[in-house]
Amino acid sequence: MEKWEQQLKNDVNTSLPTELEQRISKTLQQLPRKKRRSKFIYGLSAAALALIVTTSLPFISPTIAETMKNLPVVGSAFEFVGNIGMKKGADDGLATSLGEQIEFDGHLVTFTETLYDGGEIHLGYIIEMIDPTQPPNFLGNFFELFINGKPAGSYGMGGNEEEVKEGMYIGAISIRLREDVPDSFLLGLRPNESRSWFVQLPVEKQGDQKSFLVNQKRETNELAIVYDKVTFFPTSTELTLRLIMDEEAFFNDHFMLLDYLVTDDQGRVLQPFSGGGGGNGPENGKVTHTFEQYFEPLDTVPSSITIRPYLGDFKDTAPNIIRKKWINDELTLSQGEMGEITFLDVIKSDDVFTLSYEVSGIDAYRQANAFWLEDGDGNRYHSLKPALRVDGTNHQYQSSFETTLPIEELYITTIKMNAPNFLEELEIIIDLDR
């Protein structure tokens, strides 16, 4: 026990002065992007811990304080690296501003805000590198979670992180809990392996939600899907469902690549955010798992949504690439069985290209993200963010790319894609006009 106590006495949970909290609670949208960290996702069942001790640093590093003071910030971490749901929540004033700070592998991590509307819990943070020779690996950690000091049950996590200037990273973490939590609580967080720090972050439920019980079943010989509930949160649309499959299909991973194409009553394909869940082992030859799937939020509840399950089709063969030069005129590229994409306009501002385009086909969102830019030598330039649907349209999008490439040397490249393998017997139209 003495070893555990000594480890936990090194945990850190400090707060920034008020003036710094005010600075980091503003958006970081004007900061330049340098490097994007890969997303991570995992699920855990947290084990109980015998002791939790927190201490506070007597002061904040003057170097860190000065750096934070000079940041050209004007918003929140969510607005810089978050998905469109997190950005909407921040814009709507649903985030809780923080300033808690911990030391991680010789770097300072400042938690800037939490956001919780009843769906996923989101955390924003800034990493200030004290030792620039040791890049942070914050997202590479498995974290233990606590709710008001008690270990959380099963949960899943995912995140996104970007380098915004030399020595500084900004990130957001999303957490899916498999248990009910209070509307207001302290979320404890610490690394599972080293236990070198511990922080407790206040989380408060904000915003309204609207749920619709569905309780409808669709089935085939091998798989049944029970659509339990659809919930519209300010930051996401949540689909709750159960998969009931044959034991053999489960152990053969037959439905491991199962995914869902969700459209609203206007035919708009909802951007998928994340998903996860689980369950127990086989019982009477069947396996039942419960899942939550998250998609983009909607400003108003539609009269209906359509859910089309399909199996992913990943092949090792090289894709069929379609590449054409932009000549300041409307340009249409085939995307194979999936459909086509038509580029309407290209605008260059400083070192950023913004492309406006329209998608026609089966999966508009997937198609909207399946292209990149190239120069004459075939060097690739990928979008800074996922495609953003143009307000007031169903299938028009915009994407931005950072490059010094002259517009007269711009090539637009996409790939031909196979149509999804839809499981038509499992499809459902859910009536919400009630």
Side-chain angles (χ1 to χ4, degrees):
M1 179 62 72
E2 291 180 358
K3 182 178 180 181
W4 275 53
E5 290 180 357
Q6 186 59 47
Q7 285 180 320
L8 291 169
K9 287 178 182 178
N10 293 327
D11 293 348
V12 180
N13 184 7
T14 64
S15 297
L16 291 175
T18 301
E19 62 270 18
L20 294 187
E21 289 185 25
Q22 292 172 346
R23 290 181 181 275
I24 62 175
S25 67
K26 300 176 181 179
T27 181
L28 301 120
Q29 189 63 44
Q30 295 180 349
L31 287 173
R33 297 174 181 83
K34 287 193 174 184
K35 188 184 299 180
R36 181 177 300 175
R37 295 284 189 183
S38 299
K39 293 184 178 180
F40 71 94
I41 189 164
Y42 59 83
L44 291 175
S45 292
L49 297 177
L51 179 67
I52 298 174
V53 179
T54 62
T55 61
S56 297
L57 290 176
F59 59 87
I60 296 168
S61 161
T63 302
I64 302 303
E66 185 63 24
T67 300
M68 296 297 294
K69 183 173 67 175
N70 293 326
L71 271 177
V73 297
V74 287
S76 80
F78 297 141
E79 293 180 359
F80 191 77
V81 298
N83 59 36
I84 58 176
M86 296 184 209
K87 293 175 183 178
K88 182 177 181 296
D91 290 342
D92 291 345
L94 305 183
T96 300
S97 297
L98 306 176
E100 279 77 2
Q101 188 178 66
I102 57 97
E103 185 174 346
F104 163 75
D105 284 355
H107 309 300
L108 263 292
V109 180
T110 303
F111 292 93
T112 60
E113 63 233 298
T114 58
L115 175 58
Y116 175 54
D117 59 6
E120 292 183 305
I121 301 169
H122 307 290
L123 313 178
Y125 63 89
I126 297 173
I127 298 179
E128 177 77 12
M129 296 173 60
I130 299 176
D131 182 359
T133 65
Q134 298 292 328
N137 187 32
F138 194 63
L139 291 185
N141 281 267
F142 284 85
F143 296 107
E144 294 177 347
L145 298 185
F146 303 84
I147 305 298
N148 288 332
K150 296 181 179 180
S154 298
Y155 54 89
M157 301 182 70
N160 188 37
E161 187 179 282
E162 294 183 21
E163 184 181 19
V164 294
K165 71 173 188 176
E166 185 175 0
M168 179 165 290
Y169 290 78
I170 297 173
I173 296 173
S174 297
I175 300 169
R176 296 186 308 276
L177 293 172
R178 304 288 296 170
E179 62 184 280
D180 293 331
V181 296
D183 289 347
S184 180
F185 60 94
L186 287 176
L187 177 68
L189 188 73
R190 76 174 179 184
N192 180 59
E193 185 173 334
S194 66
R195 294 185 171 90
S196 58
W197 54 266
F198 178 77
V199 67
Q200 292 196 98
L201 308 174
V203 176
E204 185 174 355
K205 182 179 176 181
Q206 301 280 0
D208 298 324
Q209 65 186 64
K210 192 168 185 179
S211 293
F212 295 84
L213 294 177
V214 180
N215 195 27
Q216 294 190 44
K217 186 177 183 180
R218 299 290 187 271
E219 58 186 320
T220 65
N221 291 332
E222 291 186 305
L223 175 68
I225 300 180
V226 180
Y227 297 96
D228 288 318
K229 184 173 62 173
V230 177
T231 305
F232 297 92
F233 295 106
T235 65
S236 65
T237 299
E238 180 191 71
L239 171 63
T240 305
L241 52 85
R242 282 172 286 158
L243 301 183
I244 305 172
M245 68 189 78
D246 291 338
E247 180 179 348
E248 182 179 353
F250 172 76
F251 285 111
N252 290 334
D253 294 328
H254 186 67
F255 296 104
M256 183 178 65
L257 300 180
L258 184 67
D259 213 334
Y260 308 88
L261 178 66
V262 179
T263 57
D264 66 7
D265 54 359
Q266 304 298 313
R268 294 175 296 190
V269 177
L270 302 193
Q271 175 182 341
F273 284 166
S274 63
N280 298 320
E283 185 174 339
N284 298 323
K286 297 287 185 179
V287 176
T288 301
H289 282 188
T290 300
F291 287 87
E292 289 84 32
Q293 302 291 142
Y294 291 92
F295 300 84
E296 68 176 90
L298 298 175
D299 292 330
T300 59
V301 175
S303 61
S304 67
I305 62 169
T306 300
I307 304 170
R308 304 181 67 190
Y310 67 92
L311 288 175
D313 181 21
F314 295 98
K315 297 182 178 179
D316 294 332
T317 57
N320 190 344
I321 293 177
I322 308 298
R323 178 177 184 266
K324 288 187 180 181
K325 189 173 185 179
W326 174 255
I327 54 175
N328 293 316
D329 196 8
E330 189 174 292
L331 175 64
T332 299
L333 300 180
S334 171
Q335 294 180 314
E337 295 176 356
M338 192 71 79
E340 62 183 23
I341 182 169
T342 299
F343 296 90
L344 308 172
D345 192 21
V346 177
I347 297 176
K348 185 174 184 182
S349 177
D350 297 325
D351 292 335
V352 175
F353 282 109
T354 299
L355 282 70
S356 300
Y357 51 99
E358 185 165 8
V359 176
S360 175
I362 299 173
D363 188 342
Y365 183 75
R366 182 178 168 191
Q367 294 174 245
N369 288 279
F371 78 95
W372 62 91
L373 304 184
E374 291 185 359
D375 59 21
D377 296 326
N379 296 310
R380 294 187 179 188
Y381 305 89
H382 294 278
S383 61
L384 299 173
K385 295 284 185 181
L388 181 65
R389 187 191 302 113
V390 177
D391 289 341
T393 72
N394 290 348
H395 305 120
Q396 287 189 16
Y397 293 84
Q398 286 188 335
S399 291
S400 295
F401 300 76
E402 188 174 23
T403 172
T404 58
L405 182 68
I407 195 167
E408 58 270 15
E409 297 181 16
L410 175 65
Y411 288 82
I412 303 177
T413 307
T414 188
I415 59 173
K416 288 191 175 182
M417 296 176 283
N418 295 327
N421 179 21
F422 288 112
L423 306 178
E424 296 182 1
E425 295 172 282
L426 301 176
E427 296 178 6
I428 187 173
I429 299 175
I430 300 175
D431 180 18
L432 303 171
D433 193 13
R434 47 194 166 111

